[in-house]
Amino acid sequence: MRLLVFFLLLLASPLAAQPTDTRTLLPVPAEARWGAGRFQVKSGLSWQVFTPSQGPATLAADSAVAEAVARLQQPGTGVPQRLTSPLPTASLVVQYGRPGNLLKVGEDESYSLRVTPMGVALNAATHLGVLRGLATLRQLLLVEKKGLYLPEVDITDSPRFPWRGLLLDAARHFMPLPVIKRNLDAMWATKLNVLHWHLSDDQGFRVESRTLPRLHTVGGEGQFYTQAQVREVLRYAARRGIRVVPELDMPGHATAWLAAYPRLASNDSVYGVARRWGVLNIAMDPTKESTYGLLDTLLTEMAGLFPDPYFHIGGDENDGRQWKRNPRIVAFMRQQGFVTDKGLPDKHALQTYFNRRILGMVTRQGKKMIGWDEILGPGLPPDAVIQSWRGRKGLYEAAKAGHQTLLSNGYYIDLNYSAATHYAVDPLPQDAPLTEAQRQLVLGGEATMWAEFVDSVIVDSRIWPRTAAVAERLWSPATVRNVPDMYRRLALVSQDLDRLGLHHRTAPEQLLRQLAGTPAALPPLRTLASVLEPVKEYKRHFQGFKYTTQTPLNRLVDAAPAESDVAREFGWRVDSLLASTSLPANQRSTSTKKMLKQVRSQLEQWQQNDARVQPVLQQNLTLREYAPLSVNLKTCATLALERLRLLEKNQAPTPAWLAAVRQQLDAAKAPAGQTELAVLPHLRRLVEAK
């Protein structure tokens, strides 16, 4: 009875309000009030689950909750033990009202989590809310020398957007099941709830079709997911509260389709699966009824395989050149009135015709069609969902036309932008030119991991931890925008994902070891790699190294971080130092000397590293191309040390010295081996400080 009274009090009495404190949590919950106490977990977390509902759905939900509780285990914490007492006697008591409908967009994912010195209570309307709360509880667990504990807290939480996705491209480079599964684990840990599975492109068709088997045998070239494996992924995702939305790209990005079934082509050419990257402008013929017959057969099969109510048909990057070069297709366009005001063939009108035909097929299967923003146009029924990758303009136009919308522009994590860059992008900023009803059509967004320059080995390092910043933007209140605090918590998330089994830290380190060759060569090579980043956007396609689908991704550019933590942290130290040294000498902080020492130490390491790493670079043909970057790092560090000496003496550099230094810094911006020195902007701020 005492335990029952404790449990009721745990749910009813709020903690005293505390100032906002994000602690170890990412995404930040909607509301968190912290207490001064803690709950000590002495040997394994005992737990119970209570729900008033019964039946197969409840059993499945309980199984999902049990798996999530098991994932709470951390080093030294013991295995969670489930208790079956009819009274709440466990240290963790879980209660939910009903199994959540995973396939319902906007299903209740809210939860309340209460930690006191006496125990933990997790309550939610659905088991999906419990899964989100358990992800939060995992982040709260702290290990100290005296054991494991949970800080006292009262959390009330729910997502800002119902659609929080990650696109994983398995078409350009095939991603085996273990890759998919561990990234689903990471999605659960950061409260993402949609896996957008890009399954076809010019370079591959990756899902088994029993009705059209050449699609996966010819188009997939032996690398595809069997239908049994697809169902395995669906079950794995569902137990983590994650929906799986398939994408089969059409009518463009279709070379692999045409290699399998040439009758789909818009000309008489015979295609093989594409080996090169880029926009190939090869498209299906949208004028043939046989095209729609084949697609209807496939979509009927795929709709039965994938239960999600949404189906993505791509629709992007088709410039219509093949259509305009085919007299028969041009005649069809004129016959149908698909012409511009000037009487020229209108490829967009023809693609809208194609989209409407596909929309009808998808709708007959009980699905809602999603397409990239190129499909938006006059005559497209509002039932189609628009995913905007080219900018917010398309997102706003779609919402104003009555379409549900998703934002991916700004969340292209394959472009190697910083977490802060993605964090600043909001699907619904305050100044969005939308009515309240139109705002409701913005479902959320997706981080997108296109796979031209990632394979199954390094893909984790290009997704995580930066995607966690996108996850917070889509889950947390819009007011959560503190960038330094985000980075502090991102480092903690990165460590936790490592414990969860992600390879985002181990794979680049292993590649560095292979490149170094010997243990002695590893430290100087790591020092150089730590301040390199791959070139941004799509520049890697245009820097003298021709990539194909067969190119090994095992160079230093592949081991370098997408965002250099070393460079960013050095930048913060530079900013702190400059803020301190800008004050009069008698007003400077006592920590100024410490900051000067830290900055100087880092600069000296970079200055001296060139002599250590050059022999390593010169002895390995795959590393030699990075030698100029090491020289540039040494040169720029030497210049920054000179400026640091002047700062210590309160002396300004001469205009001639500053002009010469700027020229050298400009020259050092030149990339090599598809990488660039990420630390240069911070060195420039230091050198140019007044």
PDB file of all heavy atoms in Angstrom, residues 145-176:
ATOM      1  N   LYS A 145      31.441   7.247 -10.201  1.00  0.00           N
ATOM      2  CA  LYS A 145      32.244   6.220  -9.540  1.00  0.00           C
ATOM      3  C   LYS A 145      31.419   5.417  -8.548  1.00  0.00           C
ATOM      4  O   LYS A 145      31.633   4.220  -8.355  1.00  0.00           O
ATOM      5  CB  LYS A 145      33.433   6.868  -8.828  1.00  0.00           C
ATOM      6  CG  LYS A 145      34.484   7.439  -9.780  1.00  0.00           C
ATOM      7  CD  LYS A 145      35.660   8.025  -9.010  1.00  0.00           C
ATOM      8  CE  LYS A 145      36.713   8.580  -9.967  1.00  0.00           C
ATOM      9  NZ  LYS A 145      37.857   9.184  -9.236  1.00  0.00           N
ATOM     10  N   LYS A 146      30.454   6.078  -7.929  1.00  0.00           N
ATOM     11  CA  LYS A 146      29.643   5.398  -6.916  1.00  0.00           C
ATOM     12  C   LYS A 146      28.446   4.680  -7.516  1.00  0.00           C
ATOM     13  O   LYS A 146      27.629   4.127  -6.786  1.00  0.00           O
ATOM     14  CB  LYS A 146      29.171   6.416  -5.873  1.00  0.00           C
ATOM     15  CG  LYS A 146      30.305   7.026  -5.070  1.00  0.00           C
ATOM     16  CD  LYS A 146      29.770   7.985  -4.021  1.00  0.00           C
ATOM     17  CE  LYS A 146      30.899   8.579  -3.202  1.00  0.00           C
ATOM     18  NZ  LYS A 146      30.405   9.533  -2.170  1.00  0.00           N
ATOM     19  N   GLY A 147      28.324   4.694  -8.848  1.00  0.00           N
ATOM     20  CA  GLY A 147      27.226   3.971  -9.471  1.00  0.00           C
ATOM     21  C   GLY A 147      26.435   4.823 -10.438  1.00  0.00           C
ATOM     22  O   GLY A 147      26.868   5.889 -10.873  1.00  0.00           O
ATOM     23  N   LEU A 148      25.236   4.338 -10.727  1.00  0.00           N
ATOM     24  CA  LEU A 148      24.360   4.968 -11.704  1.00  0.00           C
ATOM     25  C   LEU A 148      23.277   5.760 -10.985  1.00  0.00           C
ATOM     26  O   LEU A 148      22.744   5.321  -9.960  1.00  0.00           O
ATOM     27  CB  LEU A 148      23.704   3.875 -12.564  1.00  0.00           C
ATOM     28  CG  LEU A 148      22.651   4.324 -13.575  1.00  0.00           C
ATOM     29  CD1 LEU A 148      23.315   4.996 -14.766  1.00  0.00           C
ATOM     30  CD2 LEU A 148      21.836   3.132 -14.044  1.00  0.00           C
ATOM     31  N   TYR A 149      22.949   6.936 -11.530  1.00  0.00           N
ATOM     32  CA  TYR A 149      21.858   7.680 -10.921  1.00  0.00           C
ATOM     33  C   TYR A 149      21.088   8.453 -11.982  1.00  0.00           C
ATOM     34  O   TYR A 149      21.543   8.659 -13.107  1.00  0.00           O
ATOM     35  CB  TYR A 149      22.377   8.622  -9.835  1.00  0.00           C
ATOM     36  CG  TYR A 149      23.031   9.885 -10.339  1.00  0.00           C
ATOM     37  CD1 TYR A 149      22.286  11.042 -10.539  1.00  0.00           C
ATOM     38  CD2 TYR A 149      24.397   9.934 -10.603  1.00  0.00           C
ATOM     39  CE1 TYR A 149      22.874  12.215 -10.994  1.00  0.00           C
ATOM     40  CE2 TYR A 149      24.994  11.092 -11.063  1.00  0.00           C
ATOM     41  CZ  TYR A 149      24.227  12.229 -11.251  1.00  0.00           C
ATOM     42  OH  TYR A 149      24.807  13.382 -11.710  1.00  0.00           O
ATOM     43  N   LEU A 150      19.893   8.877 -11.593  1.00  0.00           N
ATOM     44  CA  LEU A 150      19.025   9.719 -12.409  1.00  0.00           C
ATOM     45  C   LEU A 150      18.746  11.001 -11.644  1.00  0.00           C
ATOM     46  O   LEU A 150      18.387  10.948 -10.460  1.00  0.00           O
ATOM     47  CB  LEU A 150      17.700   9.002 -12.692  1.00  0.00           C
ATOM     48  CG  LEU A 150      17.775   7.759 -13.576  1.00  0.00           C
ATOM     49  CD1 LEU A 150      16.524   6.910 -13.393  1.00  0.00           C
ATOM     50  CD2 LEU A 150      17.918   8.169 -15.033  1.00  0.00           C
ATOM     51  N   PRO A 151      18.899  12.160 -12.266  1.00  0.00           N
ATOM     52  CA  PRO A 151      18.604  13.408 -11.560  1.00  0.00           C
ATOM     53  C   PRO A 151      17.100  13.577 -11.364  1.00  0.00           C
ATOM     54  O   PRO A 151      16.294  13.134 -12.183  1.00  0.00           O
ATOM     55  CB  PRO A 151      19.164  14.486 -12.492  1.00  0.00           C
ATOM     56  CG  PRO A 151      19.120  13.867 -13.846  1.00  0.00           C
ATOM     57  CD  PRO A 151      19.367  12.399 -13.641  1.00  0.00           C
ATOM     58  N   GLU A 152      16.726  14.221 -10.301  1.00  0.00           N
ATOM     59  CA  GLU A 152      15.313  14.489 -10.019  1.00  0.00           C
ATOM     60  C   GLU A 152      14.768  15.486 -11.048  1.00  0.00           C
ATOM     61  O   GLU A 152      15.349  16.553 -11.276  1.00  0.00           O
ATOM     62  CB  GLU A 152      15.155  15.066  -8.615  1.00  0.00           C
ATOM     63  CG  GLU A 152      13.716  15.240  -8.190  1.00  0.00           C
ATOM     64  CD  GLU A 152      13.597  15.748  -6.764  1.00  0.00           C
ATOM     65  OE1 GLU A 152      14.607  16.251  -6.219  1.00  0.00           O
ATOM     66  OE2 GLU A 152      12.498  15.652  -6.203  1.00  0.00           O
ATOM     67  N   VAL A 153      13.664  15.131 -11.681  1.00  0.00           N
ATOM     68  CA  VAL A 153      13.127  15.975 -12.742  1.00  0.00           C
ATOM     69  C   VAL A 153      11.664  15.641 -12.986  1.00  0.00           C
ATOM     70  O   VAL A 153      11.209  14.525 -12.722  1.00  0.00           O
ATOM     71  CB  VAL A 153      13.945  15.802 -14.050  1.00  0.00           C
ATOM     72  CG1 VAL A 153      13.725  14.417 -14.655  1.00  0.00           C
ATOM     73  CG2 VAL A 153      13.627  16.885 -15.058  1.00  0.00           C
ATOM     74  N   ASP A 154      10.943  16.610 -13.475  1.00  0.00           N
ATOM     75  CA  ASP A 154       9.546  16.442 -13.880  1.00  0.00           C
ATOM     76  C   ASP A 154       9.435  16.971 -15.311  1.00  0.00           C
ATOM     77  O   ASP A 154       9.587  18.174 -15.549  1.00  0.00           O
ATOM     78  CB  ASP A 154       8.630  17.241 -12.941  1.00  0.00           C
ATOM     79  CG  ASP A 154       7.163  16.951 -13.174  1.00  0.00           C
ATOM     80  OD1 ASP A 154       6.861  16.173 -14.095  1.00  0.00           O
ATOM     81  OD2 ASP A 154       6.330  17.500 -12.442  1.00  0.00           O
ATOM     82  N   ILE A 155       9.212  16.060 -16.270  1.00  0.00           N
ATOM     83  CA  ILE A 155       9.212  16.411 -17.691  1.00  0.00           C
ATOM     84  C   ILE A 155       7.821  16.202 -18.273  1.00  0.00           C
ATOM     85  O   ILE A 155       7.196  15.162 -18.057  1.00  0.00           O
ATOM     86  CB  ILE A 155      10.240  15.561 -18.469  1.00  0.00           C
ATOM     87  CG1 ILE A 155      11.667  15.955 -18.063  1.00  0.00           C
ATOM     88  CG2 ILE A 155      10.063  15.721 -19.981  1.00  0.00           C
ATOM     89  CD1 ILE A 155      12.738  15.058 -18.662  1.00  0.00           C
ATOM     90  N   THR A 156       7.359  17.180 -18.999  1.00  0.00           N
ATOM     91  CA  THR A 156       6.149  17.058 -19.811  1.00  0.00           C
ATOM     92  C   THR A 156       6.552  17.387 -21.241  1.00  0.00           C
ATOM     93  O   THR A 156       7.093  18.455 -21.505  1.00  0.00           O
ATOM     94  CB  THR A 156       5.050  18.016 -19.341  1.00  0.00           C
ATOM     95  OG1 THR A 156       4.777  17.766 -17.960  1.00  0.00           O
ATOM     96  CG2 THR A 156       3.771  17.820 -20.140  1.00  0.00           C
ATOM     97  N   ASP A 157       6.279  16.472 -22.168  1.00  0.00           N
ATOM     98  CA  ASP A 157       6.906  16.622 -23.479  1.00  0.00           C
ATOM     99  C   ASP A 157       5.992  16.126 -24.587  1.00  0.00           C
ATOM    100  O   ASP A 157       5.199  15.191 -24.406  1.00  0.00           O
ATOM    101  CB  ASP A 157       8.219  15.826 -23.501  1.00  0.00           C
ATOM    102  CG  ASP A 157       9.173  16.279 -24.596  1.00  0.00           C
ATOM    103  OD1 ASP A 157       8.928  17.337 -25.207  1.00  0.00           O
ATOM    104  OD2 ASP A 157      10.174  15.564 -24.824  1.00  0.00           O
ATOM    105  N   SER A 158       6.116  16.768 -25.725  1.00  0.00           N
ATOM    106  CA  SER A 158       5.426  16.342 -26.952  1.00  0.00           C
ATOM    107  C   SER A 158       6.147  16.993 -28.126  1.00  0.00           C
ATOM    108  O   SER A 158       6.809  18.023 -27.971  1.00  0.00           O
ATOM    109  CB  SER A 158       3.950  16.749 -26.935  1.00  0.00           C
ATOM    110  OG  SER A 158       3.821  18.152 -26.828  1.00  0.00           O
ATOM    111  N   PRO A 159       6.042  16.406 -29.334  1.00  0.00           N
ATOM    112  CA  PRO A 159       6.793  16.942 -30.473  1.00  0.00           C
ATOM    113  C   PRO A 159       6.139  18.175 -31.079  1.00  0.00           C
ATOM    114  O   PRO A 159       4.920  18.324 -31.070  1.00  0.00           O
ATOM    115  CB  PRO A 159       6.789  15.782 -31.464  1.00  0.00           C
ATOM    116  CG  PRO A 159       5.538  15.036 -31.162  1.00  0.00           C
ATOM    117  CD  PRO A 159       5.347  15.149 -29.670  1.00  0.00           C
ATOM    118  N   ARG A 160       6.969  19.032 -31.642  1.00  0.00           N
ATOM    119  CA  ARG A 160       6.460  20.204 -32.358  1.00  0.00           C
ATOM    120  C   ARG A 160       5.873  19.797 -33.713  1.00  0.00           C
ATOM    121  O   ARG A 160       4.855  20.332 -34.139  1.00  0.00           O
ATOM    122  CB  ARG A 160       7.597  21.212 -32.548  1.00  0.00           C
ATOM    123  CG  ARG A 160       7.167  22.500 -33.225  1.00  0.00           C
ATOM    124  CD  ARG A 160       8.325  23.458 -33.343  1.00  0.00           C
ATOM    125  NE  ARG A 160       7.979  24.622 -34.154  1.00  0.00           N
ATOM    126  CZ  ARG A 160       8.830  25.295 -34.903  1.00  0.00           C
ATOM    127  NH1 ARG A 160      10.108  24.927 -34.945  1.00  0.00           N
ATOM    128  NH2 ARG A 160       8.431  26.330 -35.611  1.00  0.00           N
ATOM    129  N   PHE A 161       6.538  18.862 -34.404  1.00  0.00           N
ATOM    130  CA  PHE A 161       6.076  18.403 -35.718  1.00  0.00           C
ATOM    131  C   PHE A 161       5.830  16.897 -35.674  1.00  0.00           C
ATOM    132  O   PHE A 161       6.606  16.156 -35.064  1.00  0.00           O
ATOM    133  CB  PHE A 161       7.113  18.709 -36.804  1.00  0.00           C
ATOM    134  CG  PHE A 161       7.295  20.170 -37.083  1.00  0.00           C
ATOM    135  CD1 PHE A 161       8.403  20.843 -36.582  1.00  0.00           C
ATOM    136  CD2 PHE A 161       6.371  20.881 -37.844  1.00  0.00           C
ATOM    137  CE1 PHE A 161       8.595  22.195 -36.840  1.00  0.00           C
ATOM    138  CE2 PHE A 161       6.552  22.233 -38.100  1.00  0.00           C
ATOM    139  CZ  PHE A 161       7.659  22.892 -37.603  1.00  0.00           C
ATOM    140  N   PRO A 162       4.793  16.425 -36.367  1.00  0.00           N
ATOM    141  CA  PRO A 162       4.514  14.988 -36.362  1.00  0.00           C
ATOM    142  C   PRO A 162       5.412  14.174 -37.285  1.00  0.00           C
ATOM    143  O   PRO A 162       5.478  12.959 -37.159  1.00  0.00           O
ATOM    144  CB  PRO A 162       3.056  14.914 -36.836  1.00  0.00           C
ATOM    145  CG  PRO A 162       2.879  16.123 -37.700  1.00  0.00           C
ATOM    146  CD  PRO A 162       3.725  17.196 -37.052  1.00  0.00           C
ATOM    147  N   TRP A 163       6.091  14.830 -38.233  1.00  0.00           N
ATOM    148  CA  TRP A 163       6.918  14.117 -39.224  1.00  0.00           C
ATOM    149  C   TRP A 163       8.361  14.562 -39.040  1.00  0.00           C
ATOM    150  O   TRP A 163       8.742  15.685 -39.343  1.00  0.00           O
ATOM    151  CB  TRP A 163       6.448  14.437 -40.633  1.00  0.00           C
ATOM    152  CG  TRP A 163       7.019  13.567 -41.715  1.00  0.00           C
ATOM    153  CD1 TRP A 163       8.332  13.389 -42.027  1.00  0.00           C
ATOM    154  CD2 TRP A 163       6.283  12.756 -42.640  1.00  0.00           C
ATOM    155  NE1 TRP A 163       8.467  12.528 -43.084  1.00  0.00           N
ATOM    156  CE2 TRP A 163       7.215  12.126 -43.491  1.00  0.00           C
ATOM    157  CE3 TRP A 163       4.924  12.517 -42.848  1.00  0.00           C
ATOM    158  CZ2 TRP A 163       6.826  11.263 -44.519  1.00  0.00           C
ATOM    159  CZ3 TRP A 163       4.545  11.665 -43.873  1.00  0.00           C
ATOM    160  CH2 TRP A 163       5.486  11.046 -44.694  1.00  0.00           C
ATOM    161  N   ARG A 164       9.182  13.643 -38.521  1.00  0.00           N
ATOM    162  CA  ARG A 164      10.584  13.954 -38.228  1.00  0.00           C
ATOM    163  C   ARG A 164      11.419  12.816 -38.833  1.00  0.00           C
ATOM    164  O   ARG A 164      11.546  11.738 -38.257  1.00  0.00           O
ATOM    165  CB  ARG A 164      10.803  14.049 -36.711  1.00  0.00           C
ATOM    166  CG  ARG A 164       9.811  15.005 -36.039  1.00  0.00           C
ATOM    167  CD  ARG A 164       9.939  15.043 -34.526  1.00  0.00           C
ATOM    168  NE  ARG A 164       9.826  13.716 -33.908  1.00  0.00           N
ATOM    169  CZ  ARG A 164       8.695  13.079 -33.680  1.00  0.00           C
ATOM    170  NH1 ARG A 164       7.534  13.629 -34.003  1.00  0.00           N
ATOM    171  NH2 ARG A 164       8.687  11.882 -33.116  1.00  0.00           N
ATOM    172  N   GLY A 165      11.958  13.080 -40.014  1.00  0.00           N
ATOM    173  CA  GLY A 165      12.482  11.974 -40.794  1.00  0.00           C
ATOM    174  C   GLY A 165      13.967  12.027 -41.092  1.00  0.00           C
ATOM    175  O   GLY A 165      14.641  13.044 -40.950  1.00  0.00           O
ATOM    176  N   LEU A 166      14.457  10.867 -41.541  1.00  0.00           N
ATOM    177  CA  LEU A 166      15.801  10.717 -42.085  1.00  0.00           C
ATOM    178  C   LEU A 166      15.678   9.956 -43.392  1.00  0.00           C
ATOM    179  O   LEU A 166      15.153   8.835 -43.421  1.00  0.00           O
ATOM    180  CB  LEU A 166      16.701   9.939 -41.121  1.00  0.00           C
ATOM    181  CG  LEU A 166      18.054   9.472 -41.689  1.00  0.00           C
ATOM    182  CD1 LEU A 166      18.934  10.662 -42.040  1.00  0.00           C
ATOM    183  CD2 LEU A 166      18.768   8.543 -40.708  1.00  0.00           C
ATOM    184  N   LEU A 167      16.133  10.573 -44.490  1.00  0.00           N
ATOM    185  CA  LEU A 167      16.212   9.877 -45.761  1.00  0.00           C
ATOM    186  C   LEU A 167      17.543   9.141 -45.827  1.00  0.00           C
ATOM    187  O   LEU A 167      18.601   9.740 -45.653  1.00  0.00           O
ATOM    188  CB  LEU A 167      16.092  10.851 -46.928  1.00  0.00           C
ATOM    189  CG  LEU A 167      16.170  10.231 -48.336  1.00  0.00           C
ATOM    190  CD1 LEU A 167      15.337  11.052 -49.319  1.00  0.00           C
ATOM    191  CD2 LEU A 167      17.600  10.112 -48.874  1.00  0.00           C
ATOM    192  N   LEU A 168      17.471   7.850 -46.099  1.00  0.00           N
ATOM    193  CA  LEU A 168      18.669   7.044 -46.282  1.00  0.00           C
ATOM    194  C   LEU A 168      18.663   6.495 -47.699  1.00  0.00           C
ATOM    195  O   LEU A 168      17.765   5.744 -48.092  1.00  0.00           O
ATOM    196  CB  LEU A 168      18.704   5.905 -45.264  1.00  0.00           C
ATOM    197  CG  LEU A 168      20.002   5.103 -45.185  1.00  0.00           C
ATOM    198  CD1 LEU A 168      21.196   6.016 -44.896  1.00  0.00           C
ATOM    199  CD2 LEU A 168      19.901   4.033 -44.112  1.00  0.00           C
ATOM    200  N   ASP A 169      19.664   6.905 -48.462  1.00  0.00           N
ATOM    201  CA  ASP A 169      19.781   6.521 -49.876  1.00  0.00           C
ATOM    202  C   ASP A 169      20.521   5.190 -49.961  1.00  0.00           C
ATOM    203  O   ASP A 169      21.725   5.109 -49.729  1.00  0.00           O
ATOM    204  CB  ASP A 169      20.543   7.632 -50.615  1.00  0.00           C
ATOM    205  CG  ASP A 169      20.835   7.301 -52.071  1.00  0.00           C
ATOM    206  OD1 ASP A 169      20.340   6.271 -52.562  1.00  0.00           O
ATOM    207  OD2 ASP A 169      21.559   8.087 -52.710  1.00  0.00           O
ATOM    208  N   ALA A 170      19.770   4.141 -50.315  1.00  0.00           N
ATOM    209  CA  ALA A 170      20.374   2.821 -50.494  1.00  0.00           C
ATOM    210  C   ALA A 170      20.528   2.477 -51.962  1.00  0.00           C
ATOM    211  O   ALA A 170      20.910   1.352 -52.291  1.00  0.00           O
ATOM    212  CB  ALA A 170      19.517   1.761 -49.801  1.00  0.00           C
ATOM    213  N   ALA A 171      20.221   3.428 -52.858  1.00  0.00           N
ATOM    214  CA  ALA A 171      20.292   3.170 -54.295  1.00  0.00           C
ATOM    215  C   ALA A 171      21.685   3.455 -54.845  1.00  0.00           C
ATOM    216  O   ALA A 171      22.220   2.654 -55.623  1.00  0.00           O
ATOM    217  CB  ALA A 171      19.249   4.010 -55.038  1.00  0.00           C
ATOM    218  N   ARG A 172      22.274   4.595 -54.479  1.00  0.00           N
ATOM    219  CA  ARG A 172      23.604   4.941 -55.000  1.00  0.00           C
ATOM    220  C   ARG A 172      24.660   3.974 -54.465  1.00  0.00           C
ATOM    221  O   ARG A 172      25.475   3.445 -55.209  1.00  0.00           O
ATOM    222  CB  ARG A 172      23.951   6.380 -54.612  1.00  0.00           C
ATOM    223  CG  ARG A 172      23.524   7.468 -55.584  1.00  0.00           C
ATOM    224  CD  ARG A 172      22.040   7.479 -55.902  1.00  0.00           C
ATOM    225  NE  ARG A 172      21.669   8.634 -56.701  1.00  0.00           N
ATOM    226  CZ  ARG A 172      21.222   9.784 -56.181  1.00  0.00           C
ATOM    227  NH1 ARG A 172      21.102   9.933 -54.870  1.00  0.00           N
ATOM    228  NH2 ARG A 172      20.890  10.779 -56.975  1.00  0.00           N
ATOM    229  N   HIS A 173      24.688   3.797 -53.141  1.00  0.00           N
ATOM    230  CA  HIS A 173      25.501   2.762 -52.520  1.00  0.00           C
ATOM    231  C   HIS A 173      24.572   1.912 -51.661  1.00  0.00           C
ATOM    232  O   HIS A 173      23.841   2.440 -50.827  1.00  0.00           O
ATOM    233  CB  HIS A 173      26.614   3.351 -51.651  1.00  0.00           C
ATOM    234  CG  HIS A 173      27.814   3.798 -52.423  1.00  0.00           C
ATOM    235  ND1 HIS A 173      28.043   5.125 -52.729  1.00  0.00           N
ATOM    236  CD2 HIS A 173      28.855   3.108 -52.957  1.00  0.00           C
ATOM    237  CE1 HIS A 173      29.180   5.225 -53.412  1.00  0.00           C
ATOM    238  NE2 HIS A 173      29.686   4.017 -53.574  1.00  0.00           N
ATOM    239  N   PHE A 174      24.609   0.620 -51.858  1.00  0.00           N
ATOM    240  CA  PHE A 174      23.726  -0.280 -51.118  1.00  0.00           C
ATOM    241  C   PHE A 174      24.105  -0.287 -49.642  1.00  0.00           C
ATOM    242  O   PHE A 174      25.282  -0.320 -49.283  1.00  0.00           O
ATOM    243  CB  PHE A 174      23.831  -1.694 -51.691  1.00  0.00           C
ATOM    244  CG  PHE A 174      22.905  -2.674 -51.043  1.00  0.00           C
ATOM    245  CD1 PHE A 174      21.535  -2.587 -51.237  1.00  0.00           C
ATOM    246  CD2 PHE A 174      23.404  -3.685 -50.241  1.00  0.00           C
ATOM    247  CE1 PHE A 174      20.679  -3.502 -50.639  1.00  0.00           C
ATOM    248  CE2 PHE A 174      22.568  -4.604 -49.640  1.00  0.00           C
ATOM    249  CZ  PHE A 174      21.192  -4.508 -49.840  1.00  0.00           C
ATOM    250  N   MET A 175      23.083  -0.237 -48.780  1.00  0.00           N
ATOM    251  CA  MET A 175      23.281  -0.234 -47.333  1.00  0.00           C
ATOM    252  C   MET A 175      22.730  -1.530 -46.741  1.00  0.00           C
ATOM    253  O   MET A 175      21.514  -1.715 -46.704  1.00  0.00           O
ATOM    254  CB  MET A 175      22.574   0.972 -46.699  1.00  0.00           C
ATOM    255  CG  MET A 175      23.006   2.313 -47.250  1.00  0.00           C
ATOM    256  SD  MET A 175      24.737   2.682 -46.846  1.00  0.00           S
ATOM    257  CE  MET A 175      25.055   4.052 -47.990  1.00  0.00           C
ATOM    258  N   PRO A 176      23.598  -2.461 -46.321  1.00  0.00           N
ATOM    259  CA  PRO A 176      23.119  -3.734 -45.774  1.00  0.00           C
ATOM    260  C   PRO A 176      22.252  -3.537 -44.526  1.00  0.00           C
ATOM    261  O   PRO A 176      22.249  -2.470 -43.904  1.00  0.00           O
ATOM    262  CB  PRO A 176      24.412  -4.481 -45.433  1.00  0.00           C
ATOM    263  CG  PRO A 176      25.462  -3.845 -46.277  1.00  0.00           C
ATOM    264  CD  PRO A 176      25.060  -2.401 -46.388  1.00  0.00           C
TER     265      PRO A 176
END
